[in-house]
Amino acid sequence: MESIWITLGTFACLLSASLVMMYWSPRLSARHRDEETNMVVRLVANIFVVMTSLVFGLMINSAKNTFESIDTNLHAYATSLIIFDRTLKNYGDAAQDTRTRLATYLEQAIANPYRGDEALQHRKSPATQYLDDIGVTLAAITPQSRYQETILADLRQQYHSLIEQRWRIVEQSEGAIPLPLIGMLIAWMTLIYASFGYRAPRNPMVVSMFTISALLIAASVYLVLDMDIPFHGPIQISDAPLRRALAEMQI
């Protein structure tokens, strides 16, 4: 929701700055509309064009790194789940109940993905209880041989690793782009659009170009912010690795 408001604010700022300047500039005195003034306005705007390009590029790179990092961690988490399930299978019938709980947990995790902002709202994940039950059942297993004792120790270590990996993904699920940087970028782009409106001809074609370009830039800002929060919006991390892990458990 925050990304949508930022997008709408960006569109409103860019469009209003260009249109207000376009309709206000003819009312300026002649000394404010001469060629020297126009040249200075264009030079200042060019400075901010360069700075905006650099900052926007850094934002794209930051969002891309966040997205790829979480995607990598999710694949690693799915792999760990498969290995954990295979180790439970090798343990024998005593671990069958734990395997069933693991599959149930994964089904719930896929159906009800948990995000970091939900923890701040004191909402508990429906899948958390199933994951906690896995630890309880592991603690209740009594090994019958040296072989099972070794496997059980490995299982408990893997389980704690799964908990760590899960919470690492949850904690990384929120955006890393600071809001002051976004505000500064919008301010720069607003100044650039105001310079575009300065001495621009007042006709429907110019107004249409200002509107369309402001809309596309606002949409670009939205997509970057959305990619920085990979479990929200149209650009999301695929749950295919978890689904493949679940399919492997059910074979």
Side-chain angles (χ1 to χ4, degrees):
M1 183 59 69
E2 187 178 79
S3 299
I4 295 177
W5 285 114
I6 292 175
T7 302
L8 293 176
T10 302
F11 174 72
C13 288
L14 299 186
L15 185 59
S16 60
S18 57
L19 295 183
V20 167
M21 198 64 183
M22 182 176 65
Y23 284 95
W24 182 49
S25 58
R27 296 180 172 84
L28 297 174
S29 61
R31 66 190 181 92
H32 290 145
R33 292 185 288 110
D34 57 23
E35 191 59 35
E36 288 80 5
T37 302
N38 182 53
M39 182 179 67
V40 172
V41 170
R42 299 297 181 188
L43 287 174
V44 172
N46 287 338
I47 293 174
F48 284 103
V49 166
V50 175
M51 294 175 65
T52 300
S53 300
L54 292 174
V55 172
F56 197 61
L58 291 175
M59 286 175 55
I60 293 174
N61 187 60
S62 174
K64 173 178 172 291
N65 290 339
T66 300
F67 190 91
E68 290 181 346
S69 175
I70 297 180
D71 185 60
T72 300
N73 288 340
L74 190 66
H75 278 80
Y77 185 56
T79 302
S80 298
L81 287 169
I82 294 173
I83 295 173
F84 185 60
D85 176 72
R86 289 293 179 267
T87 309
L88 287 170
K89 186 176 181 180
N90 291 335
Y91 187 88
D93 294 337
Q96 185 58 42
D97 181 51
T98 307
R99 287 193 69 201
T100 302
R101 292 177 185 274
L102 180 64
T104 304
Y105 155 72
L106 196 49
E107 290 174 353
Q108 291 293 321
I110 293 172
N112 304 284
Y114 190 63
R115 304 173 178 92
D117 56 348
E118 295 184 40
L120 294 176
Q121 298 170 15
H122 304 286
R123 291 203 300 248
K124 190 174 182 180
S125 167
T128 301
Q129 185 59 48
Y130 294 98
L131 190 59
D132 293 341
D133 289 343
I134 292 173
V136 173
T137 56
L138 277 179
I141 294 177
T142 302
Q144 302 299 321
S145 64
R146 182 66 179 175
Y147 171 76
Q148 288 188 339
E149 185 178 341
T150 302
I151 294 182
L152 185 60
D154 187 32
L155 282 169
R156 289 170 178 168
Q157 183 177 359
Q158 289 182 37
Y159 173 73
H160 288 294
S161 178
L162 285 174
I163 298 294
E164 180 182 350
Q165 287 178 288
R166 175 184 180 273
W167 281 108
R168 185 181 296 116
I169 294 172
V170 171
E171 290 301 319
Q172 290 178 336
S173 63
E174 293 306 300
I177 300 177
L179 286 177
L181 182 62
I182 299 172
M184 184 62 70
L185 180 69
I186 294 173
W188 290 347
M189 291 192 294
T190 301
L191 180 62
I192 293 170
Y193 263 69
S195 72
F196 291 162
Y198 175 71
R199 296 185 66 179
R202 299 168 60 178
N203 59 61
M205 178 60 71
V206 173
V207 174
S208 298
M209 290 304 298
F210 280 148
T211 304
I212 294 172
S213 61
L215 181 62
L216 291 176
I217 289 178
S220 300
V221 172
Y222 173 75
L223 290 177
V224 171
L225 295 178
D226 182 68
M227 187 167 61
D228 192 49
I229 308 176
F231 293 110
H232 292 273
I235 304 179
Q236 294 193 24
I237 296 290
S238 173
D239 61 358
L242 298 181
R243 294 185 180 277
R244 284 193 294 269
L246 180 60
E248 288 289 340
M249 295 176 188
Q250 294 172 341
I251 294 178

